[in-house]
Amino acid sequence: MKMNVYSVFDSKLASFGRPWFEMKDASAIRVFSDAVNDGSNPNNQWFKHPEDFSLFFIGEFNDENGALSSSRPPVSLVTAAAIFNHLNSANFDLGDKNNGFKKELVQ
């Protein structure tokens, strides 16, 4: 079975964090959103500095043969700031590019 691979990009460090696997973008966004909005941990950098972090799709993992692949550049799915700001906005649209969703990484 193929699973998608995701990583959080830290713009201050200009690097990606440890990747993880999910079946779909929606589940990765949910995991990221829960973590971003968890203010109970005083060391949660995603909560403290949401403007610095973005969730990216970075590839695929095939658990039958162990192959990791990426047929395109990393694609930004959502910024932590967009998720964080969602709590304070009734006009939030997950599909609106202005909210920080679905952008290819340009280096």
Side-chain angles (χ1 to χ4, degrees), residues 39-88:
S40 67
N41 178 354
N43 297 318
N44 183 349
Q45 295 298 305
W46 298 351
F47 180 81
K48 290 168 56 174
H49 307 285
E51 66 280 359
D52 295 341
F53 299 98
S54 299
L55 174 64
F56 278 80
F57 166 89
I58 60 170
E60 294 179 333
F61 171 69
N62 184 326
D63 69 356
E64 293 176 5
N65 62 17
L68 282 166
S69 63
S70 180
S71 59
R72 58 186 173 161
V75 176
S76 177
L77 300 178
V78 64
T79 64
I83 290 170
F84 194 78
N85 291 336
H86 169 62
L87 295 176
N88 302 312

Side-chain angles (χ1 to χ4, degrees), residues 4-8 16-22 55-56 58-59 68:
N4 293 332
V5 185
Y6 301 92
S7 180
V8 174
F16 287 91
R18 182 173 296 157
W20 82 92
F21 307 94
E22 296 289 340
L55 174 64
F56 278 80
I58 60 170
L68 282 166

